[in-house]
């Protein structure tokens, strides 16, 4: 087992592409996950165990949002736990690529934890609104449900876009091979857009977690949460349009 410095250097060479990644994930969450992955490697943890550590931090924080009266102290604790959980969520994949111990079971577990997180984070806000919030109107109780819908549809639609895109590409390659048609030359990867990385910041889960720092000021928290809900809904509309067009372009013939 190499030194921590050696492990970190190997992890830097095992990073996923920065394409389609916001500045927060690229420069904050992934580097933090790299440090945690190095520590997990030296501790002998498996990628699946790291995923469960991520779930423990995240779900404990969300339980606190639902069960504890909002305060500045709670907000700091919740944000810290969510940020650490998100960093561990990056660490499991990095550890899997470093050790070669990743597999379908690990990818499945990671997605299950992520899906549960997206459902619970907005359910926790709804419960907090109901139990502790002096809401201007009961209509505010609908906001977490709408935000939850946007978040879950974005997550599921993105996964389907990825899987259906891979399946279509595999089918096209098999057809070309059976027909003895030379495979089309690969398209060079597009350069990483800094403008896109900045534009994606409001949709980044790590940036969303920052709103919990406002738990000590209920009015400010509601306003920040509402703004993020609107932004995520707009991103959902843009993503659905983009993904539908990309999948339609993959139709055979």
């Amino acid at each position: 087992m190499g030194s921590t410095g050696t492990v970190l250097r190997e992890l830097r060479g095992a990073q996923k592409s920065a394409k389609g990644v916001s500045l927060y994930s690229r420069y904050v969450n992934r580097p933090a996950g790299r440090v945690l992955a190095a520590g997990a490697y030296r501790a002998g943890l498996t990628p699946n165990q790291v995923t469960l550590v991520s779930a423990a931090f995240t779900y404990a924080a969300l339980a606190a949002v639902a069960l504890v009266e909002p305060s500045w102290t709670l907000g700091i604790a919740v944000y810290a736990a969510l940020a650490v959980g998100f960093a561990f969520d990056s660490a499991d994949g990095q550890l899997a690529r470093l050790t070669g111990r990743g597999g379908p079971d690990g990818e499945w577990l990671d997605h299950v934890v992520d899906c549960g997180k997206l459902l619970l984070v907005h359910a926790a806000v709804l419960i907090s609104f109901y139990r502790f919030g002096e809401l201007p109107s009961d209509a505010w109780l609908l906001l977490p449900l709408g935000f939850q819908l946007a978040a879950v549809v974005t997550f599921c639609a993105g996964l389907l876009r990825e899987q259906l895109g891979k399946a279509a590409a595999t089918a096209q390659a098999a057809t070309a091979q059976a027909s003895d048609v030379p495979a089309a030359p690969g398209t060079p990867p597009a350069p990483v857009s800094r403008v896109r990385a900045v534009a994606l910041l409001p949709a980044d889960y790590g940036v969303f977690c920052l709103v919990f720092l406002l738990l000590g000021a209920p009015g400010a928290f509601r306003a920040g949460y509402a703004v993020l809900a609107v932004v995520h809904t707009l991103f959902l509309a843009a993503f659905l349009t983009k993904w539908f067009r990309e999948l339609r372009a993959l139709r055979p013939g």
Side-chain angles (χ1 to χ4, degrees):
M1 186 178 295
S3 67
T4 300
T6 300
V7 175
L8 284 172
R9 284 193 294 273
E10 293 179 2
L11 283 166
R12 289 191 188 95
Q15 296 295 300
K16 292 196 295 186
S17 169
K19 183 180 179 181
V21 176
S22 83
L23 288 182
Y24 178 90
S25 285
R26 184 177 179 185
Y27 291 113
V28 178
N29 199 58
R30 284 187 177 179
R34 189 158 59 237
V35 173
L36 294 176
Y41 176 78
R42 292 188 60 79
L45 298 180
T46 67
N48 287 350
Q49 288 172 331
V50 173
T51 300
L52 294 177
V53 171
S54 169
F57 274 97
T58 300
Y59 291 179
L62 299 182
V65 171
L67 300 176
V68 180
E69 185 171 359
S71 67
W72 292 111
T73 300
L74 176 67
I76 293 171
V78 166
Y79 170 72
L82 290 176
V84 171
F86 191 35
F88 270 112
D89 187 30
S90 174
D92 59 5
Q94 297 189 52
L95 181 62
R97 289 188 292 276
L98 175 67
T99 62
R101 297 175 69 179
D105 60 317
E107 186 173 359
W108 175 84
L109 180 62
D110 186 56
H111 288 325
V112 167
V113 170
D114 285 344
C115 186
K117 172 176 66 180
L118 291 177
L119 287 167
L120 288 175
V121 66
H122 301 293
V125 172
L126 174 60
I127 294 171
S128 180
F129 278 180
Y130 180 78
R131 295 187 67 202
F132 307 112
E134 296 179 0
L135 303 177
S137 165
D138 287 344
W140 278 93
L141 296 175
L142 298 176
L143 179 61
L145 295 178
F147 203 157
Q148 184 182 73
L149 175 64
V152 172
V153 172
T154 301
F155 178 76
C156 293
L159 281 180
L160 283 170
R161 163 64 185 94
E162 181 181 356
Q163 296 304 317
L164 291 172
K166 288 179 180 178
T170 300
Q172 289 175 354
T175 300
Q177 184 176 15
S179 305
D180 294 325
V181 176
T187 303
V192 177
S193 169
R194 181 61 62 90
V195 174
R196 178 179 171 83
V198 173
L200 286 172
L201 277 172
D204 193 295
Y205 174 78
V207 174
F208 162 73
C209 292
L210 288 168
V211 76
F212 289 97
L213 289 172
L214 298 175
L215 278 175
F221 175 78
R222 286 196 305 270
Y225 184 81
V227 169
L228 287 172
V230 172
V231 170
H232 278 245
T233 301
L234 294 175
F235 269 102
L236 170 61
F239 286 148
L240 291 181
T241 301
K242 176 178 182 290
W243 293 332
F244 181 80
R245 289 175 176 173
E246 289 173 349
L247 289 172
R248 186 168 58 182
L250 293 175
R251 286 182 180 178

